[in-house]
Amino acid sequence: MGLFLGLILLAAGMAVDVTGRSAAQGRPRRNHVAGIRTRRTPADDEAWRIVHEAAEPWVIAAGLAMTLGGLAELGTDDGELMGAIAVVATGFAGALTVAGAVIGHSELRGRRPS
């Protein structure tokens, strides 16, 4: 189970990292599948770009947290520790992603009124 969970966290962390970097560079374009999708980000290309550029370091950190959690999962045989690592890694990654979205929207409000 540790191998499976470790590989899932590794893959998810890398996916979050790649998506965060790509969205900050304008790829993928506005969509309803990947990236920070709030009421304002799919509204126009500029809003999408501004939010993702500002959120990029936070989303990359979220991907790193999940990747490190996956590596930690692969390095332990303790079932209880595995569960704790998974919860902490995903919770921390979620908090970082939300922080990035909040900062991105703050940047958007600073550049143009709501």
Side-chain angles (χ1 to χ4, degrees), residues 84-95:
I85 290 169
V87 168
V88 169
T90 55
F92 191 54

Side-chain angles (χ1 to χ4, degrees), residues 95-110:
L96 288 167
T97 302
V98 169
V102 168
I103 289 167
H105 279 83
S106 176
E107 179 70 20
L108 181 61
R109 280 190 303 278

Side-chain angles (χ1 to χ4, degrees), residues 3-103:
L3 176 65
F4 178 73
L5 189 53
L7 292 175
I8 293 293
L9 281 172
L10 278 171
M14 287 187 256
V16 167
D17 180 71
V18 168
T19 301
R21 289 175 194 270
S22 296
Q25 296 170 2
R27 304 175 324 256
R29 300 233 185 266
R30 288 182 292 145
N31 66 80
H32 296 288
V33 177
I36 298 171
R37 295 172 319 279
T38 60
R39 188 171 46 92
R40 293 184 70 193
T41 54
D44 63 72
D45 289 334
E46 182 186 20
W48 178 267
R49 184 187 54 74
I50 290 169
V51 170
H52 284 88
E53 280 179 2
E56 181 181 21
W58 297 88
V59 175
I60 289 171
L64 180 61
M66 291 181 77
T67 301
L68 291 175
L71 291 173
E73 286 286 334
L74 295 175
T76 185
D77 291 332
D78 184 333
E80 287 183 21
L81 183 57
M82 283 186 222
I85 290 169
V87 168
V88 169
T90 55
F92 191 54
L96 288 167
T97 302
V98 169
V102 168
I103 289 167

